[in-house]
């Protein structure tokens, strides 16, 4: 299901806007905007012109806001050229729902991203980077479940049976694996453990931080 309401509500929270602020910015009444974001019987959908206005207010692309295609910053013509040039679209998940997807359950996702066709067997996971981010892929890591990790690879993995997956950089030293959270290995490893304690989901094949 393409839930534009999730994207709008997330952007409002991110930018500190309330219903009144956004309604005034797009020239609509507060009650109208409330119906756009409602899940009840009174729900109505914005028209394309409203999506364009909201996208301008938020500083994002209207096609992403309305349909979840691409990412928030890639222009529609760029996206079209990528797909026409042999790219394909893969779904993007969060760390909290990617395990359900891998278990074969239906997972609603509101975001897709174009990737080279040779990476069509991968999927995206939102990557929690802080700081100056690229405006190209909107902070998404591409996960390759077929690759086996080697030293200094960034992976999506679980530490412990029931943990939410995290991004780790792994380095094997003798019979231990040194583990860093994320891609910053400038400090001492956060954990040193046996490889059997790490459940690797996949190796990050490509991601935003390469384009900061």
């Amino acid at each position: 299901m393409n839930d534009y309401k999730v994207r709008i509500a997330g952007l409002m929270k991110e930018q500190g806007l309330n219903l009144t602020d956004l309604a005034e910015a797009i020239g609509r009444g507060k009650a109208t905007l409330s119906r756009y974001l409602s899940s009840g019987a009174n729900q109505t959908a914005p028209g394309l012109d409203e999506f364009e206005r909201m996208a301008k207010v938020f500083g994002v692309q209207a096609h992403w806001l309305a349909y979840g295609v691409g990412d928030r910053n890639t222009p529609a013509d760029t996206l079209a050229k990528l797909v026409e040039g042999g790219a394909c679209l893969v779904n993007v998940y969060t760390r909290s729902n990617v395990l359900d997807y891998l278990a074969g359950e239906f997972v609603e996702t509101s975001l897709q991203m174009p990737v080279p066709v040779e990476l069509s067997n991968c999927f995206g996971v939102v990557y929690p980077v802080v700081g100056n981010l690229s405006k190209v892929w909107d902070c998404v890591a591409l996960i390759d479940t077929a690759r086996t990790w080697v030293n200094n690879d960034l992976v999506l993995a679980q530490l412990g049976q029931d943990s939410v997956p995290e991004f780790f950089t792994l380095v094997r030293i003798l019979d231990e694996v040194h583990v860093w959270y994320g891609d910053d290995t400038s400090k001492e490893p956060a954990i040193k453990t046996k490889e059997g304690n790490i459940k690797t989901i996949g190796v990050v094949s490509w991601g935003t931080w390469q384009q900061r």
Side-chain angles (χ1 to χ4, degrees):
M1 177 182 177
N2 166 49
D3 197 345
Y4 65 84
K5 299 187 294 295
V6 173
R7 291 186 288 279
I8 293 173
L11 288 165
M12 290 173 65
K13 182 177 180 180
E14 180 182 304
Q15 299 186 18
L17 300 176
N18 57 34
L19 281 175
T20 301
D21 297 330
L22 184 56
E24 290 179 353
I26 67 171
R28 291 290 184 266
K30 182 178 176 181
T32 299
L33 187 60
S34 182
R35 287 194 296 272
Y36 291 164
L37 300 179
S38 171
S39 298
N42 67 335
Q43 176 187 351
T44 58
L48 291 178
D49 57 336
E50 279 98 357
F51 277 120
E52 288 281 358
R53 293 176 190 175
M54 284 189 281
K56 187 173 182 180
V57 171
F58 292 130
V60 300
Q61 295 295 322
H63 63 272
W64 173 81
L65 187 64
Y67 305 114
V69 176
D71 67 85
R72 67 169 73 182
N73 295 303
T74 301
D77 57 345
T78 300
L79 185 65
K81 289 176 183 177
L82 285 167
V83 175
E84 289 170 3
C88 61
L89 294 174
V90 298
N91 287 338
V92 176
Y93 303 94
T94 65
R95 288 175 294 148
S96 60
N97 66 22
V98 68
L99 293 181
D100 293 334
Y101 159 72
L102 292 170
E105 298 179 21
F106 173 74
V107 176
E108 293 183 357
T109 176
S110 60
L111 180 63
Q112 291 181 308
M113 63 184 291
V115 299
V117 68
E118 60 268 23
L119 298 176
S120 62
N121 63 325
C122 300
F123 56 89
V125 176
V126 177
Y127 184 77
V129 179
V130 177
N132 268 332
L133 304 182
S134 162
K135 290 187 175 181
V136 179
W137 298 119
D138 198 23
C139 206
V140 172
L142 203 61
I143 309 301
D144 187 344
T145 58
R147 279 179 56 190
T148 300
W149 71 270
V150 297
N151 278 357
N152 294 306
D153 269 344
L154 184 66
V155 304
L156 182 69
Q158 292 172 275
L159 287 177
Q161 293 298 317
D162 301 320
S163 63
V164 173
E166 296 281 357
F167 289 95
F168 303 106
T169 298
L170 306 181
V171 175
R172 185 185 291 107
I173 299 178
L174 298 176
D175 61 346
E176 283 188 329
V177 177
H178 292 208
V179 181
W180 288 262
Y181 283 93
D183 58 336
D184 183 4
T185 58
S186 62
K187 300 176 183 178
E188 289 295 310
I191 302 168
K192 298 178 183 178
T193 187
K194 300 294 184 182
E195 187 169 355
N197 295 328
I198 306 169
K199 185 177 180 181
T200 305
I201 295 169
V203 177
V204 174
S205 174
W206 177 86
T208 351
W209 53 90
Q210 295 177 343
Q211 301 187 35
R212 280 193 243 168

